[in-house]
Amino acid sequence: MRTTLIAAAAAIALSAVPATAALKLGAKAPDFATRGAIAGKVMPINLKDQLKKGPVVLYFFPAAFTGGCNAEAHAFAEAIPQFKAAGATVIGMSADNVDTLARFSSEKCAGQFAVASAGPAVVKGYDVALGKEVQGRSVTSRTSYVIGQDGRVVFVHDDMNPGDHVAQTLAAVKKLHG
């Protein structure tokens, strides 16, 4: 029994990953240009271009087609009308390849918003490396940023539980329009 408890405690400790978001409120969000997809259609995605339309909710997720990431994508997809009404664009990002994200954008994001591939420079710039692998590849932490139209971070939510990312980022976007 003692061995079982020790093994269980070790498993819990290994799965507990501390919050790591380094970008602080007011920090300039690193610009990026990458490829992503919306509704299965591959396209270029550039932060600077998206900010011309209004604030951006940039949410990093560990890996497409995993339980928490599927649930989070579904929740963001359902809230897209509210984000659009508040003038914001939502972009999901992970270290997944573009082909995987094209499928994910159709199947789990309901074609409602873009998901983009976060390469090493983006992962480093936003300090979202989780420090562990899923299916043999590095993954990002579950970190959501709200970036104001001026390119500055106005809100950070860094929590591996996907439950509050949508509600909290939506509230932050709504505050921008006071």
Side-chain angles (χ1 to χ4, degrees):
M1 171 125 151
R2 183 170 169 15
T3 304
T4 304
L5 290 174
I6 291 170
I12 290 168
L14 287 174
S15 68
V17 179
T20 59
L23 293 184
K24 303 296 181 208
L25 296 180
K28 185 78 171 159
D31 191 22
F32 60 83
T34 189
R35 291 178 40 207
I38 187 167
K41 181 181 177 198
V42 175
M43 63 177 59
I45 298 176
N46 178 275
L47 179 61
K48 186 177 175 183
D49 291 343
Q50 297 302 314
L51 287 170
K52 290 175 185 174
K53 303 173 193 174
V56 170
V57 174
L58 184 62
Y59 89 91
F60 290 88
F61 59 96
F65 299 109
T66 58
C69 298
N70 293 347
E72 185 176 31
H74 178 76
F76 267 110
E78 286 189 335
I80 289 300
Q82 294 170 289
F83 282 105
K84 284 183 178 178
T89 300
V90 173
I91 303 171
M93 292 195 88
S94 77
D96 290 303
N97 64 47
V98 176
D99 291 338
T100 299
L101 291 172
R103 283 190 355 261
F104 188 71
S105 72
S106 291
E107 295 175 28
K108 302 301 178 184
C109 306
Q112 295 296 306
F113 60 93
V115 287
S117 185
V122 173
V123 171
K124 183 177 180 179
Y126 283 88
D127 195 18
V128 292
L130 186 56
K132 66 186 229 179
E133 292 186 353
V134 170
Q135 299 170 355
R137 62 181 173 70
S138 295
V139 296
T140 63
S141 64
R142 188 178 314 281
T143 303
S144 297
Y145 292 101
V146 175
I147 303 166
Q149 202 164 2
D150 63 356
R152 301 235 171 245
V153 174
V154 298
F155 179 80
V156 180
H157 185 64
D158 189 27
D159 187 340
M160 287 304 289
N161 181 336
D164 289 336
H165 285 257
V166 174
Q168 290 196 18
T169 56
L170 183 57
V173 167
K174 288 179 176 179
K175 274 187 178 178
L176 290 175
H177 295 290

